[in-house]
Amino acid sequence: MLSPGNSSDCIVGFLDDTYDVYNRLAFINYTAKYNLKHSVRTLSNDHYGTLSATCSLLKDGIVALLGPRTEANSQIVRSVCYSKDIPHIETRWDDNLQKSSFTVNMSPHPEVYSSIIAALVRSKGWKSFALFYDDRSSLSRITGLLKVVWESTIFIKRLDPKNSGNYRPALKEARKNGYTRFVIDCDIDRLSAVLMQALQIGLMVRENSYIITNLDLQTINLEPYKYSETNITGLRMVNPDSEAAIMLADSIHDTQYAYLDGFHEPIRDILSNDIRLETALLMDGLHLLHLALESLPKNTDSCISSSLCYNDLSYHHGATILGSLKMITFNGITGPVKLDNFGCRREFQLDIVELHESGLITVGSWHVENGITYLATGDEKLDNLENNNFTVITTLTAPYGMLKESEKPLSGNDRFEGFAIDIIHELSLIEKFNYTIIIREDKANGDWNNATGQWSGMIGDVLKGVAHLAIADLTITSERKEAVDFTTPFLNLGVSILYRKPTKALPNFFSFAAPFAVEVWMWIGGAYFVTSMSLFIMGRLCPSEWTNPYPCVENPEYLINQFSMKNSFWFMLGSILQQGSEIAPIGYATRMTAGAWWFFTLIMVSTYTANLAAFLTTESSDRPFNDVYDLIKKADKLGIKYGAKAKGATEAFFRGSRNDEFKQVYNYFDAHPDVMVKENHDGVVRADKGHYAFFMESVSIEYEVQRFCRLTQVGEMLDDKGYGIAMIKNATYRHRLNTALLKLQENGKIMELKRKWWEERRGGGQCGTERKTDEAPPLTLKHVGGVFWVTVGGTAVAILLVFLEMLAYILKKSVRHKKPFWIEVREEFKFYFKCRGLVKPVRYLEHTANESRSPMTGENRIEQLPDKRGSEQKDEDINYEFLPDIANMKS
Ligand code: GLU
């Protein structure tokens, strides 16, 4: 016996006559969720026992009673509840439509359900079919079908449970009569055996079709029939992917552990797919009761009933609770819950499912207003999507899908907001379809699992028919495209790196050299050396550079040259440092060389100055790495880890890449599972802490860097792809959705939504728009190569000129001395290639040789000039020559 602990605890009674569902569910802690306490009585099959169990519950002060499940027991409980004003909630299939006024039933109304089965058969256009049923409750479901009799030929046969589970004779008879379409209505515990026997006798073939009326079809093992190509259609009231169903599965699982703990029995995981309709109805019934109790006044005695079987009292709030039970509507595990004035459930929603290789797929739905609507999946394209009901799955990944922040409790689609949610909403406005958003809690977008041979995440959900559409940051990849269809992309992106912003670098000691790249400095050095050497050589070769050291002496004894090696280098250095020197070239060739160098100097110095200014005004930064290649090389040395979202498109990109470096990234992921994160947000938080580079998609990076101001994108995008909406292959609505998406793109709606969610909402624009302070890049040879070529060109012209000048001079000399030209050439070159000595003796003609002019007095003197190589050596080779024009040329 149980008594209410305090005024807010209401006790609800359970009558369990199967030692099954209710008994197990009784261990779920309702108190936390519903503020209800439970009191359970187990029933045997005698009426007196039922009556005394009900009366004993009344003693506990129950405010409502749930159960039992069998009809015989139910009659007694109903009449007790009716006489004591105790609201009574049933979940069983009730084909006895006479109800007492204190009983409500959560299961679909038999009349309505029967008409749905008839509509389903009619929608398939079946003109003849075999109908198998198994008990009396079956009959109430198939009465609707019997109305189809006049349109069709029906073969009706009972699957007699007394036949020790052998249904083959009935099935064979239908086959013998040539039936290929079958409607099967039987208890879920027998359904597996019926289908298995149909398979055994060869009735599960491509040509055959089945309609299964039992609403628990998804709870049995359909694996053996998946590949038979038989068309198996069923109806489903529990959406195994609804949040409530998943939660329920979890709590049943925990409960079983608690329940069975003492027995140490191993139990398998309960999945939301295993939830039978009656369990779901019970949970929805409790939820409804909980909501109804909210309507009670907050008195201390509201939740206590003092009516007993053997007194005259009845529960004075019973009628209020009952009224509320019939008024309240909500979205439960079994879809929209709404009871009519008689406590019957006539308004509900069903999914029409079909068995495919990937499992049960939703192909349509039934709704009280629209009747049966199919989401056709053939080759035809739908002309419009008006009134189609789509289930849209998404993940709570910012900014694509998020929970709305609101003080008021929200329900349905209203609970969510975000970029993807807005896109679906806009599409629904254009195409006028209805949609229900469901959430994939684990944020898995979809990855192929080799071990299970199945797709996980939202892609798996689309394939299993859990949802018609999947939208989020769902990347279109070639692998996914083989399994599902995508709309055209609504956002374009590529993989990039999210990392901490670089710190500002201290100015470099050699920052003055920064304007030019090292190679340019080297080339400048090379150019300086080569041009100085050219000037030196040309100075020697160029006759005009040999000048009279004493301009007043008309016939000097020797000539001098200013371009020694030292002077040549000094002259060039003076030019490039813009200081000049006292040396001035005289010959055409040397002037040409000097001109080319000055031009080079002018351009290089101005370029250097300009770029230096740019360098001094921008701050350089300490980037640990500049791109993915850099990261791979330096990661170890810098102690940087890198990762991506596990089982996402980014990981798949590296896994499938042929690029060696990218393969290396994947191998690293593989070897270090700790670097992978479950969802993008985890990666972002980790990157923000430092020493972690997160491979992420560029649009998502764009979103995060506006909120995490220490983060930035590093490097370019590594690939080019897009986000799309996924749906099953050859979906007839794909074309319409594509057209609607294109419209949204063309009218700028998508960009508008992107701006809204990226920049304006939820902390957008927090970090401000970063001023682009790109560091000035050092100038490379590509930028200044032309100047070098001009210098080379100038020097080349100078070389040509020097040879011309020299040849003219030698020619003139050979004529004057009447000596063969080549001998003169040889003599000249002999002198030049000594490569030393900047004094050139002068040869004069015989008739003038004896007349020497004193440099001091101007008087003519006959004198043998000392030989520079030694006075004692007689030089027969040298004839001192008179060159009247030398002095003039000097200027
Ligand atoms: N958009 C990715 C996907 O569809 C998830 C994020 C990622 O892998 O970077 O799987």
Side-chain angles (χ1 to χ4, degrees):
M1 187 174 301
L2 218 128
S3 61
N6 60 50
S7 57
S8 63
D9 290 338
C10 293
I11 300 173
V12 57
F14 288 86
L15 282 172
D16 191 339
D17 46 5
T18 58
Y19 302 93
D20 185 14
V21 180
Y22 289 4
N23 216 349
R24 287 190 177 192
L25 285 177
F27 287 84
I28 297 175
N29 184 9
Y30 301 121
T31 334
K33 196 165 180 190
Y34 299 109
N35 204 25
L36 294 177
K37 285 194 165 183
H38 57 269
S39 182
V40 187
R41 298 288 181 280
T42 315
L43 301 183
S44 53
N45 258 344
D46 70 304
H47 292 179
Y48 178 75
T50 307
L51 182 63
S52 54
T54 314
C55 291
S56 116
L57 281 177
L58 287 189
K59 271 195 214 150
D60 283 353
I62 55 168
V63 292
L65 201 151
L66 278 106
R69 296 177 72 213
T70 54
E71 195 184 339
N73 290 334
S74 169
Q75 298 290 351
I76 298 163
V77 177
R78 277 182 194 186
S79 39
V80 174
C81 288
Y82 179 57
S83 61
K84 293 289 156 191
D85 286 4
I86 299 288
H88 176 212
I89 301 172
E90 287 194 317
T91 55
R92 62 192 193 89
W93 176 264
D94 183 11
D95 46 8
N96 175 6
L97 295 171
Q98 295 153 11
K99 288 213 168 48
S100 68
S101 57
F102 265 84
T103 300
V104 298
N105 194 315
M106 299 296 293
S107 84
H109 194 277
E111 226 172 64
V112 180
Y113 189 61
S114 157
S115 72
I116 296 171
I117 294 169
L120 183 60
V121 172
R122 219 179 266 130
S123 74
K124 296 217 169 238
W126 288 3
K127 290 289 170 224
S128 72
F129 58 90
L131 170 61
F132 297 103
Y133 70 98
D134 70 346
D135 59 12
R136 214 195 71 184
S137 74
S138 265
L139 288 176
S140 62
R141 275 186 293 270
I142 61 173
T143 42
L145 269 186
L146 300 179
K147 292 180 192 155
V148 188
V149 173
W150 61 271
E151 302 167 15
S152 320
T153 318
I154 307 186
F155 168 87
I156 306 179
K157 194 84 192 160
R158 182 162 188 215
L159 300 168
D160 199 343
K162 288 193 204 104
N163 250 354
S164 43
N166 183 7
Y167 312 108
R168 291 181 199 86
L171 294 167
K172 279 182 187 164
E173 205 180 327
R175 186 181 58 188
K176 207 166 103 205
N177 287 306
Y179 287 95
T180 56
R181 282 143 183 189
F182 308 91
V183 177
I184 299 179
D185 186 295
C186 73
D187 188 89
I188 195 66
D189 296 329
R190 280 190 285 280
L191 184 61
S192 289
V194 175
L195 293 178
M196 185 48 77
Q197 289 174 22
L199 181 74
Q200 287 162 357
I201 63 167
L203 275 180
M204 286 282 178
V205 289
R206 193 178 186 182
E207 295 70 35
N208 293 356
S209 305
Y210 293 78
I211 290 178
I212 312 292
T213 60
N214 197 302
L215 286 168
D216 281 328
L217 176 65
Q218 81 269 14
T219 63
I220 64 167
N221 178 17
L222 296 169
E223 204 61 27
Y225 323 108
K226 270 185 182 174
Y227 306 99
S228 64
E229 294 190 52
T230 312
N231 183 329
I232 298 179
T233 306
L235 293 158
R236 187 172 69 183
M237 198 167 183
V238 178
N239 179 355
D241 295 288
S242 66
E243 208 179 317
I246 293 167
M247 268 172 58
L248 175 60
D250 287 348
S251 40
I252 295 177
H253 185 249
D254 297 345
T255 304
Q256 286 201 335
Y257 269 114
Y259 184 51
L260 298 172
D261 204 28
F263 306 96
H264 303 294
E265 276 182 41
I267 55 162
R268 74 186 173 93
D269 275 0
I270 302 289
L271 304 174
S272 53
N273 244 334
D274 300 328
I275 296 174
R276 289 213 176 161
L277 178 64
E278 204 169 350
T279 312
L281 291 173
L282 176 69
M283 293 310 290
D284 281 350
L286 278 168
H287 191 177
L288 180 64
L289 178 62
H290 167 71
L291 296 175
L293 289 175
E294 307 256 297
S295 61
L296 287 184
K298 290 255 174 257
N299 299 340
T300 40
D301 66 340
S302 318
C303 246
I304 303 167
S305 155
S306 26
S307 65
L308 294 170
C309 279
Y310 312 109
N311 67 14
D312 291 339
L313 298 173
S314 52
Y315 179 34
H316 50 286
H317 290 300
T320 319
I321 297 173
L322 184 73
S324 300
L325 288 177
K326 293 177 183 173
M327 295 271 294
I328 290 165
T329 59
F330 71 98
N331 231 338
I333 307 170
T334 56
V337 176
K338 184 169 192 269
L339 301 177
D340 64 10
N341 280 339
F342 303 99
C344 299
R345 197 160 171 199
R346 288 175 172 273
E347 292 185 27
F348 51 91
Q349 200 175 319
L350 295 177
D351 281 342
I352 302 171
V353 290
E354 255 178 33
L355 185 65
H356 287 219
E357 285 189 12
S358 52
L360 282 176
I361 287 187
T362 311
V363 292
S365 60
W366 177 89
H367 190 264
V368 68
E369 278 158 23
N370 308 328
I372 286 182
T373 44
Y374 278 108
L375 295 168
T377 56
D379 287 336
E380 96 237 41
K381 289 180 181 133
L382 289 183
D383 289 339
N384 67 68
L385 304 181
E386 207 168 328
N387 291 331
N388 267 296
N389 296 313
F390 287 103
T391 307
V392 182
I393 193 160
T394 188
T395 59
L396 294 178
T397 306
Y400 308 97
M402 295 170 286
L403 281 177
K404 218 182 249 175
E405 288 159 357
S406 158
E407 281 165 12
K408 283 182 272 158
L410 301 170
S411 60
N413 294 347
D414 232 20
R415 288 168 296 161
F416 313 109
E417 63 175 11
F419 179 69
I421 310 287
D422 278 0
I423 288 191
I424 278 295
H425 181 67
E426 291 297 330
L427 291 176
S428 78
L429 293 182
I430 296 177
E431 288 296 333
K432 300 190 178 59
F433 60 80
N434 309 316
Y435 63 96
T436 311
I437 292 173
I438 58 172
I439 298 295
R440 172 101 206 170
E441 295 289 338
D442 64 2
K443 305 191 182 180
N445 285 4
D447 192 42
W448 173 253
N449 186 334
N450 261 336
T452 60
Q454 282 191 339
W455 280 93
S456 64
M458 291 194 291
I459 299 287
D461 293 335
V462 167
L463 287 170
K464 284 181 209 139
V466 171
H468 303 111
L469 303 173
I471 184 170
D473 57 336
L474 188 59
T475 313
I476 306 173
T477 65
S478 55
E479 205 185 6
R480 286 175 181 170
K481 243 186 141 206
E482 278 176 23
V484 293
D485 268 348
F486 282 96
T487 56
T488 49
F490 53 83
L491 277 184
N492 292 315
L493 56 118
V495 173
S496 197
I497 306 171
L498 182 72
Y499 195 69
R500 282 279 287 267
K501 274 181 190 160
T503 48
K504 299 292 170 216
L506 290 173
N508 190 323
F509 188 67
F510 289 108
S511 55
F512 64 83
F516 288 144
V518 177
E519 54 167 359
V520 174
W521 284 116
M522 282 162 59
W523 277 94
I524 292 175
Y528 168 67
F529 179 79
V530 171
T531 338
S532 303
M533 284 307 287
S534 310
L535 190 67
F536 166 66
I537 294 167
M538 259 175 286
R540 286 191 78 77
L541 294 183
C542 183
S544 323
E545 290 296 344
W546 293 98
T547 53
N548 181 353
Y550 311 107
C552 356
V553 177
E554 229 177 288
N555 290 325
E557 292 154 9
Y558 56 89
L559 303 174
I560 56 164
N561 193 321
Q562 59 182 335
F563 284 115
S564 64
M565 182 99 70
K566 207 160 72 181
N567 279 356
S568 305
F569 276 87
W570 179 243
F571 172 78
M572 291 301 194
L573 190 67
S575 312
I576 198 154
L577 295 182
Q578 309 226 289
Q579 297 307 314
S581 64
E582 299 224 316
I583 304 154
I586 300 164
Y588 293 118
T590 43
R591 284 183 178 179
M592 188 73 211
T593 311
W597 181 248
W598 286 342
F599 174 76
F600 174 82
T601 301
L602 175 73
I603 303 297
M604 292 311 280
V605 170
S606 343
T607 316
Y608 173 83
T609 315
N611 211 29
L612 183 65
F615 263 86
L616 296 179
T617 48
T618 56
E619 277 177 288
S620 62
S621 43
D622 254 343
R623 261 181 212 288
F625 58 91
N626 290 315
D627 52 28
V628 59
Y629 306 102
D630 219 14
L631 171 65
I632 299 168
K633 266 189 256 151
K634 298 181 185 165
D636 259 357
K637 209 169 83 195
L638 300 174
I640 297 176
K641 289 185 174 179
Y642 49 92
K645 177 178 170 176
K647 299 196 170 112
T650 302
E651 187 190 359
F653 161 76
F654 287 109
R655 189 171 52 220
S657 174
R658 295 188 171 190
N659 177 310
D660 284 343
E661 276 90 355
F662 295 172
K663 268 192 215 150
Q664 206 177 319
V665 171
Y666 179 70
N667 293 340
Y668 176 82
F669 289 170
D670 209 25
H672 304 86
D674 61 300
V675 298
M676 304 306 279
V677 292
K678 198 165 159 270
E679 54 172 300
N680 274 347
H681 184 71
D682 297 344
V684 175
V685 170
R686 208 164 154 184
D688 194 47
K689 287 187 186 146
H691 284 91
Y692 179 75
F694 186 49
F695 283 100
M696 196 183 189
E697 287 163 333
S698 52
V699 270
S700 300
I701 291 184
E702 221 179 287
Y703 175 81
E704 299 296 352
V705 295
Q706 299 221 20
R707 286 148 185 89
F708 287 77
C709 303
R710 293 192 296 186
L711 295 178
T712 189
Q713 176 177 338
V714 181
E716 297 298 310
M717 295 193 294
L718 309 182
D719 60 350
D720 187 9
K721 51 201 180 187
Y723 291 152
I725 305 175
M727 66 202 80
I728 51 162
K729 274 251 173 248
N730 301 323
T732 47
Y733 38 90
R734 176 165 168 244
H735 172 69
R736 299 292 323 167
L737 291 177
N738 268 346
T739 319
L741 253 184
L742 284 177
K743 268 188 209 156
L744 291 182
Q745 253 154 3
E746 278 163 16
N747 63 21
K749 191 75 200 173
I750 293 204
M751 283 332 285
E752 191 187 303
L753 291 178
K754 184 165 174 240
R755 216 171 307 120
K756 168 176 156 192
W757 289 108
W758 263 248
E759 289 165 24
E760 292 162 15
R761 300 286 178 91
R762 307 243 184 174
Q766 220 175 79
C767 308
T769 40
E770 214 178 307
R771 195 166 56 94
K772 270 260 175 230
T773 52
D774 270 353
E775 292 161 38
L779 296 176
T780 63
L781 201 59
K782 273 196 208 118
H783 301 103
V784 290
V787 195
F788 282 90
W789 282 110
V790 171
T791 319
V792 170
T795 315
V797 173
I799 292 170
L800 195 73
L801 284 178
V802 81
F803 277 107
L804 287 178
E805 214 177 317
M806 203 174 71
L807 288 180
Y809 164 73
I810 297 173
L811 196 65
K812 212 157 126 195
K813 211 168 88 174
S814 74
V815 171
R816 188 164 299 186
H817 290 279
K818 296 192 181 62
K819 273 198 172 176
F821 176 72
W822 67 269
I823 294 204
E824 289 293 334
V825 170
R826 202 190 65 193
E827 275 177 10
E828 279 297 318
F829 275 85
K830 228 173 166 181
F831 173 76
Y832 294 143
F833 287 109
K834 275 198 290 189
C835 280
R836 62 190 156 81
L838 290 165
V839 175
K840 186 180 178 188
V842 180
R843 275 188 302 159
Y844 294 98
L845 293 173
E846 290 303 322
H847 67 276
T848 55
N850 298 330
E851 297 171 22
S852 140
R853 288 164 185 85
S854 160
M856 303 298 152
T857 60
E859 288 169 26
N860 287 348
R861 230 170 9 102
I862 297 171
E863 191 180 275
Q864 180 70 47
L865 277 174
D867 184 2
K868 290 279 159 196
R869 291 168 296 174
S871 50
E872 54 292 298
Q873 190 187 330
K874 288 264 184 275
D875 193 348
E876 296 98 344
D877 309 338
I878 300 173
N879 267 327
Y880 297 112
E881 179 186 15
F882 175 64
L883 294 171
D885 51 344
I886 278 182
N888 302 336
M889 282 177 71
K890 190 178 177 195
S891 66

